[in-house]
Amino acid sequence: MTHTRTQCVTLPATAHEAPIELPAIGQGTWYMGEGLAPHRDEVRALQQGLELGMTVIDTAEMYGDGGAEEVVGEALAGRRERAFLVSKVYPWNAGRQSAIDACERSLSRLGTDCLDLYLLHWPGNIPLEETLEAFERLREQGKIRRYGVSNFDVDELDALHALPGGGDCAVNQVLYHLGSRGIEHALRPLMQRLGMPLMAYCPLAQAGQLRNDLFDHPVVRELADGLGITPAQLLLAWVTRPVGGHRDVIAIPKAVQPTHVEENAAALTVRLDDEAVARLDDAFPAPARKVPLDIV
Ligand code: NDP
């Protein structure tokens, strides 16, 4: 392992935006704004993460029924320009007019007049043409800078890419962690061919048994101990590792505890060497055939 400068991922230029470099680890907000942790702790955690360089903040109208967007809005008051702000629209709100209305509600909760990136949260029944049209109108109105999708598998991404405006889709946000590598078979290679970065959600496997299996796995423990890092940092360094010499994954761990925020930010400078990556490949092999996209 070597510690280097902050690892970055470049979002390519679109028809209207120049390329932008973003730190490879940002911050998630699912379960914020729901009263599970004190509101002020959540606000402080996002501000701490921002100070430490995790400037990509991911939220959604879904999280806490808008409560998470309010937490983010409070965290960014007076410092909006320092963040790259991402929110998401429910599939059933992604129509020609309903997406505009949903975005305006999000902007109001977030206390800003523009999102850096607006995502369709998952594929739904409203024709994608309508959603793309609405995204394009929001862009023309200066309410969003880029748009993208989430939870899109290979066929859905192919279909999207064939539509007018589909080529400007900036990212696909999908579940990806050491214990869930299904996307490596076909989806990630497709995204690499399209030059589309990936946002990895649940990079720490969230909670429950799977997470304990990962954090307490003997290979994870041994490697992390040997490198002087925590299992969480190992997982973040792994998920954001370059593939084919190209770094194209932005992980968005959610953390409220200050030590977690600090650890996650410090993982921005951790680089795993080939030997560590190979040991993790042996312990957690990628599937050899296409598996359905993992979704929370
Ligand atoms: P994560 O894998 O990020 O796990 C979050 C959990 O990990 C929290 O319990 C947090 O605890 C804990 N944690 C954070 N940092 C550390 C650390 N360094 N060591 C140990 N534990 C740690 O799961 P999420 O489901 O939150 O996924 C991340 C984000 O992805 C979401 O918040 C959301 O923004 C996005 N997402 C998108 C989805 C989509 O459909 N597009 C679906 C799911 C998530 P604590 O908070 O107490 O610090």
Side-chain angles (χ1 to χ4, degrees):
M1 178 197 73
T2 46
H3 286 277
T4 59
R5 61 184 277 273
T6 292
Q7 330 279 358
C8 285
V9 171
T10 304
L11 288 199
T14 66
H16 305 277
E17 292 290 326
I20 183 168
E21 259 207 351
L22 298 171
I25 300 175
Q27 307 186 75
T29 62
W30 194 18
Y31 291 122
M32 289 190 181
E34 297 188 11
L36 294 175
H39 179 85
R40 66 176 180 286
D41 290 1
E42 295 175 342
V43 169
R44 218 183 288 135
L46 292 174
Q47 292 174 337
Q48 181 194 357
L50 200 58
E51 290 297 320
L52 294 173
M54 295 189 292
T55 52
V56 176
I57 298 187
D58 177 80
T59 189
E61 62 172 335
M62 176 183 130
Y63 304 156
D65 266 336
E69 288 183 326
E70 285 171 2
V71 171
V72 174
E74 206 172 317
L76 294 186
R79 60 194 98 188
R80 165 68 187 90
E81 72 295 342
R82 291 169 60 186
F84 184 90
L85 181 54
V86 186
S87 193
K88 312 187 202 78
V89 60
Y90 274 127
W92 49 89
N93 281 347
R96 205 169 272 116
Q97 183 56 44
S98 54
I100 312 255
D101 299 340
C103 183
E104 283 170 355
R105 289 193 296 271
S106 286
L107 289 173
S108 153
R109 285 188 290 262
L110 287 160
T112 185
D113 51 12
C114 182
L115 292 171
D116 295 292
L117 181 59
Y118 197 36
L119 307 181
L120 172 60
H121 207 145
W122 63 87
N125 296 327
I126 292 178
L128 274 176
E129 290 88 333
E130 267 200 49
T131 306
L132 286 174
E133 216 180 282
F135 282 171
E136 189 50 34
R137 255 178 70 209
L138 284 166
R139 193 202 54 72
E140 281 165 11
Q141 293 169 356
K143 291 175 183 154
I144 65 172
R145 288 193 214 287
R146 284 178 161 84
Y147 51 79
V149 293
S150 178
N151 297 302
F152 269 46
D153 207 344
V154 172
D155 291 351
E156 291 144 345
L157 210 52
D158 271 337
L160 172 80
H161 215 253
L163 295 173
D168 267 348
C169 175
V171 303
N172 184 17
Q173 184 180 117
V174 291
L175 186 151
Y176 187 37
H177 58 70
L178 186 61
S180 178
R181 302 183 59 174
I183 62 159
E184 290 181 32
H185 186 260
L187 184 61
R188 189 168 183 191
L190 169 65
M191 291 178 61
Q192 287 190 317
R193 284 198 300 280
L194 295 174
M196 185 189 294
L198 187 153
M199 288 181 82
Y201 75 69
C202 296
L204 300 173
Q206 206 177 172
Q209 190 51 38
L210 179 56
R211 185 231 188 76
N212 295 336
D213 288 350
L214 286 183
F215 276 42
D216 294 335
H217 191 282
V219 173
V220 170
R221 281 238 158 256
E222 191 194 312
L223 275 175
D225 286 350
L227 297 169
I229 58 177
T230 66
Q233 289 176 313
L234 186 79
L235 261 57
L236 291 175
W238 179 86
V239 88
T240 57
R241 76 206 181 284
V243 168
H246 186 57
R247 201 177 282 283
D248 60 350
V249 174
I250 299 173
I252 43 168
K254 171 262 180 185
V256 175
Q257 294 183 47
T259 49
H260 288 167
V261 177
E262 208 171 298
E263 270 182 27
N264 298 348
L268 270 168
T269 61
V270 175
R271 235 186 100 244
L272 299 179
D273 60 22
D274 293 347
E275 197 188 323
V277 171
R279 284 205 62 199
L280 291 168
D281 274 339
D282 282 346
F284 300 91
R289 67 172 77 87
K290 173 89 183 78
V291 292
L293 184 62
D294 236 353
I295 289 177
V296 182

